[in-house]
Amino acid sequence: VKITIIKGNGLPPMDANGKSDPYCKMGILHKHHIESKRVQKGNLDDWAEEKLVLGSVLKSTIKPMTLDPVWEETFELQLTNPQEEYLVIEVWDSDDEQRRKLKSFKGFHHLLRDLRNEDDFLGRTFFLLKHVPVKGSDK
């Protein structure tokens, strides 16, 4: 299936500058993982480690310092049974830029050890693929 991530609107600010550096992750899950609540906690990367994601987790580019990102990026994910599978899209705020800025200040390198090397979660949605049109697009 081809997926086009178009844009996001009104994302929450996660950085000190009042902006975010958003990107998307996407993957395919079988519906029994969702119905059994195996994915109630964690995220796509966690679920991929647990072998719950069918195929790969794909990632968009990072859009720096914006709350209204425009991606217009197309991805292709492999399906085995669209009637039983969900597309999962997550939005994250990249903290790479914030870590890089902190590293540039002398005397702050000791604080970097205390920083969690994690991006900030902004949101997630699940699409049952049997409800997505076979031809064309559904906006």
Side-chain angles (χ1 to χ4, degrees):
V1 64
K2 285 187 179 181
I3 309 296
T4 300
I5 304 293
I6 299 172
K7 65 181 179 176
N9 293 315
L11 298 179
M14 300 301 285
D15 298 336
N17 62 10
K19 301 287 183 180
S20 288
D21 305 307
Y23 66 92
C24 295
K25 291 181 184 178
M26 62 222 78
I28 303 295
L29 289 175
H30 194 278
K31 76 175 189 177
H32 71 261
H33 294 313
I34 294 167
E35 291 169 355
S36 67
K37 301 190 187 219
R38 288 190 68 186
V39 296
Q40 196 167 16
K41 293 185 180 181
N43 59 58
L44 272 169
D45 290 334
D46 297 333
W47 304 331
E49 285 181 25
E50 295 174 30
K51 308 287 188 230
L52 301 179
V53 175
L54 305 172
S56 301
V57 174
L58 302 180
K59 182 179 167 183
S60 73
T61 59
I62 296 168
K63 299 299 180 180
M65 296 189 301
T66 182
L67 301 179
D68 300 301
V70 176
W71 286 284
E72 293 288 344
E73 296 177 31
T74 299
F75 302 88
E76 202 163 317
L77 292 164
Q78 296 298 315
L79 303 178
T80 55
N81 184 357
Q83 297 296 311
E84 303 287 318
E85 294 168 345
Y86 279 83
L87 167 65
V88 182
I89 300 174
E90 295 179 340
V91 182
W92 291 81
D93 167 53
S94 173
D95 285 335
D96 287 345
E97 184 66 25
Q98 298 299 319
R99 285 190 291 271
R100 192 167 38 255
K101 284 180 182 176
L102 279 174
K103 285 180 186 176
S104 69
F105 291 107
K106 275 191 167 185
F108 280 89
H109 52 77
H110 65 283
L111 290 176
L112 292 176
R113 285 180 292 217
D114 298 330
L115 287 177
R116 290 178 18 207
N117 192 19
E118 293 182 5
D119 292 342
D120 299 312
F121 179 75
L122 297 176
R124 172 186 306 124
T125 191
F126 296 87
F127 295 97
L128 184 56
L129 290 168
K130 74 178 183 181
H131 297 302
V132 176
V134 175
K135 292 184 180 181
S137 63
D138 188 14
K139 294 186 180 187

